[in-house]
Amino acid sequence: MSEKVLMKGNEAIAEAAMRAGCKLFFGYPITPQTDLSEYLAKQMPKRGGLMLQAESEVAAINMVLGASAAGERVMTSSSSPGVSLKSEGISYIVGSDIPCVIVNVQRGGPGLGGIQPAQSDYFQATKALGHGDMHIIVLAPANIQEMALLTGEAFDLADIYRTPVMILADGALGQMMEPVDFGAKPVRELPAKDWACNGHGHKRLRNIVNSLYIQPEELERLNIERFERYKKIEENEVKYEEYLTEDAEITLVAYGITARIARTAVKLARAEGIKAGLFRPITLYPFPKKQLFELADKTNRFLSVEMSMGQMVDDVKLAVEFKKPVTHYGRTGGVIPSPEEILDEIRRLRREI
Amino acid sequence: MSGFLFAGFGGQGILFSGKLLAKIGLAHGKQVSWLPSYGPEMRGGTANCSVIIDDEPIGSPLVTKPDVLVVLNLPSFEKFEKTVKKGGVLIVDSSLIDKKSERKDINSYYIPASMLASENGLEGLANVIIFGHMMKATGIFDYAAVEKVLVDSTPKSKPQLAELNAKALSLGYGWQE
């Protein structure tokens, strides 16, 4: 028997966070994410940590800000409507240039929406998670093993680039169980947290963590500095996976749970003699623009498959720069597409070529 | 690839059965996924879970056309019986479902699992009884291996429950119509 254990995606994130040295969690329950905080509520106190259920999402994210300012590894998690409530605090954390990990186990929206899986917070996560000139790193796991791996990676990226990092999952990934192995996590070199407000003992000048800058020139300088960091992230941290793209006439682009369904559809299409392939972005911000731009020389067209009305498709279009047609296929409101219906869309596009 | 769907009322051990199967697959070095239905329907309403066992990485974890369907209540029978793949297997708790499948293109098995449970002092273990019958009907895994995973899945603090589980599995496995 292998070292693998069967675990829910939500639990795998929780376990991986503790193994990454996260000792603090602040959250507020919401379906389909609650198993995550439930797991931490049981485990964290036993392992020298603190899991606190705050009075609201707004309180939770501000507790995250405080803990991070003190130099601790800290995480919060929620699902779509709860993440909206956290957006002000997330912007403050970005403005303060401090790290944290935020999990969004997406459900259908807008509004209270539903509780079934969706990918309709793509725009929110990658473009407008808070007010101001800002982005955060967004990672999109597609299986439970990756939920664990990318959680560890998220904490490292957050510390290295002093930015919040989001794990963007969905209700299906959160609720489903798959085997997971917590063994192999690559070790990265981390900078010292010499900015942390954790007591100076009169041995150094005090540190200040703050996001208020009254002088426009100073705020401009900080924003430019932050965007230079984003450039470095784009140069060094873009992650993606390709499946049968080498000779693909139709290249599907999909992330998270949809990517694995699209992969089955690609296999079905190949069995019929249709040359289909799959490009799976793992980092949604930074988006693998360069790689898609280059792929556009090899393929005839792109099909973005998402559980939304069409959000990532815009990034695919921007990346491809009109070299090849880009279209969207999606289901929304909590409906998971079947491989067969994606195959139908592939067949339809094939007839158009 | 084999897709399994377990369906019944919340509280019948539907999710446990699915987890048991996924663990058996894992113990055999297979790729496995387990996906529950979640939400308001779990409170007294219908509950179901999809389990996939495969040699290759699993795509969609949602089983919409099961190779094997195990049903423990009438609403689930009516909802899912027609979705079973041609040549697939249907297992019905006939003490709870007073209906038979008219499909000729699937293999249907009927076992009064809930009645057998109460007659044999195995209250609450109808799910394990029907699981045993499913193992027999499908023959996908070796009995001893299944029994080991089942016993290992029982909390260590309740050794008597492990014994009852093993008894229930054996009862379902050996039961003949």
Side-chain angles (χ1 to χ4, degrees), chain B residues 34-129:
Chain B
W34 173 93
L35 177 73
S37 63
Y38 61 88
E41 79 271 21
M42 283 171 83
R43 300 199 183 115
T46 57
N48 70 72
C49 76
S50 298
V51 176
I52 298 174
I53 297 182
D54 204 342
D55 291 319
E56 290 186 45
I58 293 161
S60 177
L62 193 66
V63 174
T64 48
K65 292 173 192 154
D67 297 282
V68 180
L69 170 66
V70 179
V71 281
L72 282 93
N73 71 1
L74 186 62
S76 300
F77 178 93
E78 289 183 330
K79 187 172 177 192
F80 298 119
E81 180 255 351
K82 55 185 174 288
T83 67
V84 178
K85 259 190 211 157
K86 203 173 153 186
V89 172
L90 168 70
I91 319 263
V92 177
D93 184 339
S94 56
S95 49
L96 300 176
I97 302 163
D98 188 21
K99 226 175 171 180
K100 298 224 162 182
S101 173
E102 287 174 10
R103 287 183 60 179
K104 299 276 178 266
D105 59 342
I106 59 173
N107 299 307
S108 304
Y109 299 83
Y110 301 86
I111 173 169
S114 297
M115 199 184 78
L116 288 170
S118 51
E119 279 175 359
N120 291 279
L122 299 167
E123 275 79 11
L125 296 180
N127 63 326
V128 180
I129 294 175

Side-chain angles (χ1 to χ4, degrees), chain A residues 42-59:
Chain A
K42 279 185 198 146
Q43 292 288 330
M44 269 185 155
K46 284 192 229 164
R47 290 153 76 168
L50 170 80
M51 180 279 175
L52 193 143
Q53 181 174 319
E55 68 270 34
S56 71
E57 284 87 351
V58 177

Side-chain angles (χ1 to χ4, degrees), chain A residues 94-97 160-162 218-232:
Chain A
V94 173
S96 306
D97 287 316
I160 292 168
Y161 297 101
R162 287 176 63 178
E218 192 185 5
L219 183 53
E220 184 186 50
R221 183 180 62 75
L222 285 165
N223 283 344
I224 290 171
E225 187 274 321
R226 191 172 307 114
F227 272 70
E228 275 164 9
R229 243 182 299 150
Y230 292 155
K231 221 161 116 190
K232 270 197 199 123

Side-chain angles (χ1 to χ4, degrees), chain A residues 199-328:
Chain A
H200 53 70
H202 303 290
K203 291 197 177 79
R204 58 162 169 81
L205 279 176
R206 69 185 192 279
N207 284 333
I208 296 172
V209 168
N210 170 44
S211 74
L212 176 66
Y213 297 93
I214 296 296
Q215 294 302 325
E217 290 78 11
E218 192 185 5
L219 183 53
E220 184 186 50
R221 183 180 62 75
L222 285 165
N223 283 344
I224 290 171
E225 187 274 321
R226 191 172 307 114
F227 272 70
E228 275 164 9
R229 243 182 299 150
Y230 292 155
K231 221 161 116 190
K232 270 197 199 123
I233 296 170
E234 195 171 331
E235 281 162 17
N236 301 323
E237 309 295 350
V238 167
K239 290 181 180 57
Y240 60 96
E241 188 185 72
E242 290 182 70
Y243 176 64
L244 304 178
T245 50
E246 204 44 51
D247 63 341
E249 290 171 0
I250 300 171
T251 302
L252 277 64
V253 186
Y255 72 96
I257 189 79
T258 312
R260 46 196 291 166
I261 304 169
R263 191 184 161 105
T264 307
V266 164
K267 257 202 291 195
L268 295 172
R270 288 266 169 178
E272 293 183 1
I274 304 174
K275 285 183 179 163
L278 171 68
F279 184 92
R280 173 170 79 93
I282 299 172
T283 50
L284 299 181
Y285 186 88
F287 194 70
K289 283 190 274 195
K290 204 176 99 212
Q291 291 76 12
L292 274 170
F293 182 75
E294 285 163 11
L295 199 57
D297 293 328
K298 291 200 257 177
T299 193
N300 287 334
R301 60 182 306 151
F302 291 93
L303 172 64
S304 179
V305 186
E306 308 165 52
M307 292 195 309
S308 77
M309 292 300 290
Q311 300 190 9
M312 182 178 68
V313 62
D314 285 7
D315 276 343
V316 180
K317 281 182 189 166
L318 285 170
V320 169
E321 291 185 13
F322 296 103
K323 276 208 254 181
K324 295 287 159 63
V326 178
T327 51
H328 161 79

